[in-house]
C-alpha cells in the first residue's frame, strides 16, 4: 500500500533531519575520499556503488545510522481499540477465557502483529469506491490443527492482527520454505508457563542431529533411485522417453519423492462416498503452475496444505488429493503419470478392484472410465473395445507405499495390462526404501498432511445473494437493449429440482428427478405458451463474472435477450457446498413465450401443426395464419398422429420483416404476403400466409 504524498514528504523530512543531525553526509565524504586514496590505483578514480556500501559497512556507519533511527511500534501489551477489521481471537485474555485449556497439556499462543517487506505489493493501488480489493489471508497448519486469519488488504506492510492457540505435541514435523514473500512480526507464549527451559545450545544440537539424520536418509534414497533408474533403462533403451517421475519440486523449491505427496486421507463426516470425494476434488479450481521466463511448463507440484489453502492447482495436485481420499476410503488407488490424447503431460487416478476391474478417475472432471485393454496381436476382424478415456500413454503409477514403472513393450494406455504384481510388466521400487523417506515421521523435512475443514459458506444465503445479483444484472442488460423485464417467481422456484438433479448426476452418474420436474413445468406453463431453459455450471461465486460467461453462450444469451410483450423470465441459483469452502454453483435461466399456429394445405387436406417461434424471430404474440405451400410436407410432420403435435422447426426470419414492410398503415398489415423459403426449410419451396381476423401482432414489430 503506497503512502499518501503528504505522509511520504513528512517521512522524508524526518529522515533528512536525523541524517543532518548525525552529520552522515560529512562522514560519507570522508570515507569516500579515504577509500579512493587507499584502495584504488592512481589511474583509477571511479568507485562503484557496491564498493562504497562495503566500505560503509566495514567502518560501521550503517550500523550507527540504524541505531539512531528509532521506529515507533505499538506495544503488544497495550489494549487494542475495537475495530471490525481485527480478529476476535487477537485479544489474549478473551481468547484464553473462551478456550477450555487442559492444565495437563501445553499450548503455544501465537500472535501475528503485522507484516513488512511484501515487496510484490509495494505499489498496490488504492481501491476505488465500491471496488473489491485484493486481500491477504494467513493459513496455519500445526499437526492436526488448522487456522485462518481474517483477510486484510494487500500491502507492502499488511495490517495483520490475529492470535492462534496451538496445542503442542512432543513429536513435531515441519518444513522450511526457501522462497520468501515477506516478513511477519509474531510473538509466542507458552501456556501454562514452563518451569524449566532448555538452553539454546541443547536446542541447536537437537536440530542439527535431526537435520543430519534426515539428510542421510534422503541421500541413501537418492542413491537407490539412481540405481533403479539405470536398471529400468537397461530393460529397454526407449524407456528414456517415458514419463517416469520419481521426484517432484514443491512450492518451496524442495525436490521430494512423488510418493510423499500421497497419503491416506480420511474426510470424516464431510464426504460420504468416494464419488462425492471425486466431485469435491473436481470443483476445486484448475490452474497450471506459473512459468517465470521462457522455456516450457515449469514442473511444480503443491503440497496438500498449499493446494487446499489456494483452492486451486494443477492436474497433479488434483490427482494427489483424489488418490489420498480414495486410499482413505479403503480403495487400492494409484496416481498415474502419462500423457493425454494430444500428447500433453497429465496425471489421473486409477483404482484396482478385487475382481480385477481397472477404473480410471479423471480428477479434473470427476468422470470415471473402465479400462479394457485391447489385444494388438489379435485377428484383424476381431472386435476390440474402443477406449472412452482421453489418456494416451502411461509411464508410471504410485501411491504412498509403492512406485512402479511401466516396462511393457508399449506405453499406450489402451494396450497396457495393469497386473501390478507382474514384474515383467511393471518394475517396482523397494517398499522399504520408499518407507524410509515417505512414511509419517520418517524425516523432519516431510510436511504433514492437514485435515479437511468444513465449509464456512451458507448455501442458502449465498444462493439468494447470487440470484438477486443476477436478476439485477439481467434487468440492467435488458434495459440497455430497450427491453422490459418481467420475472415469474413461481417458475423460478420450480427450477430448483432440476438443479438438484444436475448436481446429483454429476456426483453419482445417476439421473433422477427429471420426470417430476418436467411434469411441474407442463402444469405451470399456460396454454398457447412454451418453455425454454438453459442450465450452466460454475465453481466460483462471482455473479458478475458468471453473467459475463452466460452472455457468451448463444443459448443463454438468447434467453436473456428475448423480446416480446408476453415473455416471462425466470432464474434460479443453487449453491452446493463442499469441504474447504469449495462449491458448485448451478444457474438456470428460463422463460415462457406464446407460440404460433400454422395450417398446412397439402392435397386438399388440412393439417394443423403448432410451431414454436424462438426469440430471434421477433414474434411472441399468438398469430393464427393459413399457409399454402408448394413442395412436400416434411416426413417428421407426416408421422405425427397426435391431433395437436408440436413441430420444432426453423421458421424463416425474413417473413416477419417482409410482412412488416408491406403493412399499409401503422396498425394494418397486408392480408397476404408471398415469401420464398430457404432450401430445406420445412421441406417447402414457397409459402403463402393469410392473416386471420383474430390474429394479434405486437406494435413493436
Amino acid at each position: 500500500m503506497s503512502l499518501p504524498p503528504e505522509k511520504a514528504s513528512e517521512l522524508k523530512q524526518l529522515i533528512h533531519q536525523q541524517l543532518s543531525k548525525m552529520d552522515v553526509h560529512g562522514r560519507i565524504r570522508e570515507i569516500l575520499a579515504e577509500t579512493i586514496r587507499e584502495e584504488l590505483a592512481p589511474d583509477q578514480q571511479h568507485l562503484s556503488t557496491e564498493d562504497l556500501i562495503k566500505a560503509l559497512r566495514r567502518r560501521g556507519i550503517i550500523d550507527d545510522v540504524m541505531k539512531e533511527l528509532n521506529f515507533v511500534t505499538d506495544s503488544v501489551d497495550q489494549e487494542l481499540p475495537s475495530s471490525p477489521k481485527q480478529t476476535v481471537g487477537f485479544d489474549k485474555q478473551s481468547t484464553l477465557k473462551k478456550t477450555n485449556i487442559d492444565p495437563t497439556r501445553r499450548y503455544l499462543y501465537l500472535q501475528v502483529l503485522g507484516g513488512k517487506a511484501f515487496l510484490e505489493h509495494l505499489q498496490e493501488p488504492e481501491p476505488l469506491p465500491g471496488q473489491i480489493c485484493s486481500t491477504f489471508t494467513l493459513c496455519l497448519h500445526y499437526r492436526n490443527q488448522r487456522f485462518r486469519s481474517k483477510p486484510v488488504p494487500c500491502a507492502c506492510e499488511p495490517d495483520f492482527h490475529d492470535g492462534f492457540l496451538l496445542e503442542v505435541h512432543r513429536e513435531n514435523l515441519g518444513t522450511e520454505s526457501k522462497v520468501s514473500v515477506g516478513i511477519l512480526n509474531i510473538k509466542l507464549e507458552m501456556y501454562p508457563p514452563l518451569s524449566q527451559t532448555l538452553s539454546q545450545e541443547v536446542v541447536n544440537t537437537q536440530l542439527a542431529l535431526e537435520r543430519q539424520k534426515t539428510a542421510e536418509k534422503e541421500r541413501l534414497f537418492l542413491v537407490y533411485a539412481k540405481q533403479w533408474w539405470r536398471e529400468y533403462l537397461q530393460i529397454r533403451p526407449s524407456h528414456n522417453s517415458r514419463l517416469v517421475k520419481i521426484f517432484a519440486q514443491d512450492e518451496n523449491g524442495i525436490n521430494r519423492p512423488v510418493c510423499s505427496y500421497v497419503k491416506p486421507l480420511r474426510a470424516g463426516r464431510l464426504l460420504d462416498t468416494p464419488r462425492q470425494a471425486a466431485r469435491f476434488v473436481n470443483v476445486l479450481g484448475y490452474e497450471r503452475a506459473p512459468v517465470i521466463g521462457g522455456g516450457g511448463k515449469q514442473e511444480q507440484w503443491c503440497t496438500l496444505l498449499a493446494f487446499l489453502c489456494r483452492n486451486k492447482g494443477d492436474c497433479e495436485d488434483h490427482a494427489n488429493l483424489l488418490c489420498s481420499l480414495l486410499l482413505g476410503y479403503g480403495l487400492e488407488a494409484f496416481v498415474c503419470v502419462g500423457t493425454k490424447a494430444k500428447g500433453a503431460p497429465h496425471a489421473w487416478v486409477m483404482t484396482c478392484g478385487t475382481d480385477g476391474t481397472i477404473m480410471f478417475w479423471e480428477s479434473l472432471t470427476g468422470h470415471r472410465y473402465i479400462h479394457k485393454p485391447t489385444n494388438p496381436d489379435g485377428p484383424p476382424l476381431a472386435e476390440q473395445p474402443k477406449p472412452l478415456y482421453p489418456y494416451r500413454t502411461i509411464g508410471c503409477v504410485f501411491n504412498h507405499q509403492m512406485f512402479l514403472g511401466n516396462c511393457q513393450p508399449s506405453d499406450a494406455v489402451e494396450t497396457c495390462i495393469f497386473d501390478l504384481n507382474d514384474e515383467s510388466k511393471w518394475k517396482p521400487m523397494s517398499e522399504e526404501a520408499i518407507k524410509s523417506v515417505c512414511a509419517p515421521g520418517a524425516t523432519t523435512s516431510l510436511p504433514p498432511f492437514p485435515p479437511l475443514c468444513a465449509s464456512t459458506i451458507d448455501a442458502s444465503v449465498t444462493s439468494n445473494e447470487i440470484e438477486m445479483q443476477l436478476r439485477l444484472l439481467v434487468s440492467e442488460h435488458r434495459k440497455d437493449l430497450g427491453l422490459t423485464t418481467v420475472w415469474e417467481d413461481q417458475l423460478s422456484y420450480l427450477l430448483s429440482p432440476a438443479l438438484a438433479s444436475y448436481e446429483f448426476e454429476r456426483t453419482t452418474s445417476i439421473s433422477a428427478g427429471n420426470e417430476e420436474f418436467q411434469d411441474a413445468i407442463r402444469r405451470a406453463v399456460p396454454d398457447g405458451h412454451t418453455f425454454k431453459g438453459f442450465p450452466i455450471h460454475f465453481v466460483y461465486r462471482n455473479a458478475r463474472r458468471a453473467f459475463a460467461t452466460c452472455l457468451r453462450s448463444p443459448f443463454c444469451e438468447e434467453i436473456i435477450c428475448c423480446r416480446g410483450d408476453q415473455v416471462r423470465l425466470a432464474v434460479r441459483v443453487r449453491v452446493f457446498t463442499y469441504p474447504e469452502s469449495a462449491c458448485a454453483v448451478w444457474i438456470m435461466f428460463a422463460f415462457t413465450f406464446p407460440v404460433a399456429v400454422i395450417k398446412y394445405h397439402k392435397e386438399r387436406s388440412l393439417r394443423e401443426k403448432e410451431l414454436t417461434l424462438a426469440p430471434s424471430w421477433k414474434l411472441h404474440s399468438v398469430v393464427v395464419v393459413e399457409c399454402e405451400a408448394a413442395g412436400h410436407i416434411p416426413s417428421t410432420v407426416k408421422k405425427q398422429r397426435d391431433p395437436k403435435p408440436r413441430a420444432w422447426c426453423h421458421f424463416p426470419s425474413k417473413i416477419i420483416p417482409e410482412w412488416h414492410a408491406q403493412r399499409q398503415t401503422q396498425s394494418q398489415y397486408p392480408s397476404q404476403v408471398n415469401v420464398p423459403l430457404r432450401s430445406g426449410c420445412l421441406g417447402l419451396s414457397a409459402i403463402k400466409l393469410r392473416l386471420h381476423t383474430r390474429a394479434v401482432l405486437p406494435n413493436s414489430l
Side-chain angles (χ1 to χ4, degrees), residues 463-691:
S463 299
N464 289 334
E465 291 177 351
I466 298 177
E467 186 171 316
M468 291 299 102
Q469 295 175 22
L470 286 176
R471 284 198 176 196
L472 181 60
L473 291 171
V474 171
S475 299
E476 291 178 349
H477 183 74
R478 290 176 59 83
K479 184 178 180 181
D480 294 339
L481 298 177
L483 303 174
T484 59
T485 305
V486 180
W487 294 102
E488 184 68 43
D489 293 336
Q490 176 63 15
L491 183 61
S492 298
Y493 178 74
L494 295 181
L495 301 179
S496 293
L499 301 182
S501 177
Y502 298 148
E503 181 62 21
F504 182 77
E505 185 176 359
R506 284 289 185 95
T507 304
T508 64
S509 301
I510 300 174
S511 179
N514 290 329
E515 297 81 4
E516 294 84 354
F517 166 69
Q518 294 176 6
D519 184 69
I521 293 298
R522 291 191 189 100
R523 294 177 180 274
V525 176
D527 292 338
H529 289 65
T530 190
F531 166 88
K532 188 171 185 178
F534 181 75
I536 191 168
H537 171 256
F538 301 98
V539 295
Y540 50 81
R541 306 186 301 276
N542 189 321
R544 190 171 296 274
R545 178 183 172 189
F547 181 68
T549 304
C550 291
L551 289 179
R552 290 195 291 269
S553 168
F555 304 102
C556 200
E557 193 268 345
E558 181 182 8
I559 296 176
I560 294 174
C561 303
C562 61
R563 299 172 181 267
D565 297 336
Q566 301 183 35
V567 171
R568 299 293 183 266
L569 290 171
V571 61
R572 194 64 172 174
V573 177
R574 282 292 307 274
V575 175
F576 300 89
T577 59
Y578 290 91
E580 300 298 326
S581 296
C583 62
V585 180
W586 283 95
I587 302 173
M588 189 171 189
F589 290 97
F591 74 129
T592 61
F593 57 94
V595 296
V597 177
I598 303 295
K599 292 183 178 179
Y600 292 92
H601 290 265
K602 179 64 176 178
E603 298 178 356
R604 298 183 181 179
S605 64
L606 179 64
R607 299 194 179 205
E608 183 177 321
K609 302 296 175 184
E610 190 175 358
L611 181 68
T612 301
L613 300 179
S616 58
W617 300 326
K618 301 178 181 179
L619 180 61
H620 288 291
S621 296
V622 178
V623 179
V624 181
V625 299
E626 288 184 355
C627 169
E628 291 184 0
H632 67 282
I633 296 179
S635 58
T636 55
V637 176
K638 287 183 179 181
K639 293 180 181 179
Q640 295 283 2
R641 295 183 179 180
D642 191 342
K644 292 185 179 180
R646 298 193 177 196
W648 297 80
C649 307
H650 285 285
F651 200 76
S653 59
K654 54 188 175 181
I655 290 180
I656 301 305
E658 184 74 18
W659 203 343
H660 179 69
Q662 296 182 22
R663 68 179 180 178
Q664 299 173 356
T665 64
Q666 182 66 23
S667 59
Q668 294 181 356
Y669 284 80
S671 60
Q672 179 176 311
V673 61
N674 293 321
V675 181
L677 298 183
R678 294 192 299 266
S679 175
C681 182
L682 293 180
L684 308 176
S685 58
I687 190 169
K688 180 187 293 183
L689 299 177
R690 290 192 181 91
L691 181 63

Side-chain angles (χ1 to χ4, degrees), residues 68 97 135 143 180 189 297 328 493 540 569 634 692:
E68 292 295 331
K97 287 180 181 179
T135 58
R143 299 293 291 178
S180 176
E189 297 179 75
K297 177 179 179 297
Y493 178 74
Y540 50 81
L569 290 171
H692 276 235

Side-chain angles (χ1 to χ4, degrees), residues 4-40:
E6 61 274 7
K7 291 290 185 181
S9 60
E10 181 181 354
L11 180 61
K12 291 179 181 178
Q13 184 66 23
L14 291 175
I15 295 176
H16 179 73
Q17 292 176 0
Q18 188 68 21
L19 295 178
S20 301
K21 179 181 177 181
M22 298 172 57
D23 192 22
V24 174
H25 298 89
R27 295 172 63 183
I28 291 178
R29 282 193 293 269
E30 293 176 1
I31 294 175
L32 178 61
E34 182 181 353
T35 303
I36 293 176
R37 183 174 60 255
E38 294 180 358
E39 299 184 7
L40 295 182

Side-chain angles (χ1 to χ4, degrees), residues 36-185:
I36 293 176
R37 183 174 60 255
E38 294 180 358
E39 299 184 7
L40 295 182
D43 56 343
Q44 182 183 1
Q45 297 298 316
H46 176 71
L47 185 67
S48 65
T49 304
E50 184 179 356
D51 295 334
L52 177 59
I53 294 296
K54 289 181 179 179
L56 294 176
R57 288 184 181 278
R58 189 163 56 249
R59 287 163 176 79
I61 188 171
I62 293 182
D63 294 336
D64 295 341
V65 172
M66 296 304 296
K67 290 178 182 178
E68 292 295 331
L69 291 175
N70 295 322
F71 295 94
V72 179
T73 57
D74 296 333
S75 175
V76 178
D77 298 329
Q78 292 179 352
E79 184 178 357
L80 295 173
S82 60
S83 170
K85 293 183 179 180
Q86 295 176 0
T87 306
V88 177
F90 176 68
D91 186 359
K92 176 174 65 176
Q93 299 299 329
S94 63
T95 299
L96 298 181
K97 287 180 181 179
K98 293 179 180 179
T99 306
N100 295 324
I101 296 182
D102 188 349
T104 63
R105 299 185 180 184
R106 295 289 180 183
Y107 297 89
L108 187 66
Y109 185 62
L110 185 150
Q111 299 182 55
V112 183
L113 309 176
K116 57 183 178 180
F118 286 77
L119 301 181
E120 292 184 2
H121 303 273
L122 185 61
Q123 300 294 333
E124 189 75 17
E126 292 288 344
L128 299 175
Q131 180 182 3
I132 300 177
C133 65
S134 302
T135 58
F136 280 135
T137 302
L138 290 178
C139 299
L140 278 70
H141 172 218
Y142 186 77
R143 299 293 291 178
N144 61 339
Q145 307 163 70
R146 290 183 61 187
F147 306 89
R148 292 176 70 92
S149 70
K150 286 190 175 181
V152 299
C154 290
C156 183
E157 297 183 358
D159 187 24
F160 288 115
H161 287 286
D162 275 309
F164 310 95
L165 192 63
L166 314 177
E167 183 180 350
V168 179
H169 300 263
R170 291 187 177 182
E171 301 85 7
N172 291 317
L173 300 175
T175 180
E176 181 180 357
S177 173
K178 294 182 179 180
V179 182
S180 176
V181 296
I183 300 172
L184 290 179
N185 183 20

Side-chain angles (χ1 to χ4, degrees), residues 378-454:
L381 299 180
E383 184 178 358
Q384 298 283 1
K386 185 178 181 180
L388 301 177
Y389 44 77
Y391 316 122
R392 181 180 177 184
T393 64
I394 182 170
C396 63
V397 299
F398 66 88
N399 58 18
H400 64 300
Q401 294 177 335
M402 302 173 63
F403 183 95
L404 303 104
N406 184 8
C407 55
Q408 300 178 57
S410 173
D411 61 349
V413 178
E414 59 183 11
T415 60
C416 276
I417 305 297
F418 287 92
D419 183 3
L420 303 183
N421 296 320
D422 189 349
E423 296 190 5
S424 65
K425 295 180 173 59
W426 296 92
K427 179 174 174 55
M429 270 193 172
S430 169
E431 294 187 15
E432 291 298 324
I434 296 174
K435 186 178 179 180
S436 66
V437 291
C438 297
T443 62
T444 57
S445 63
L446 191 65
F449 264 50
L452 294 182
C453 290

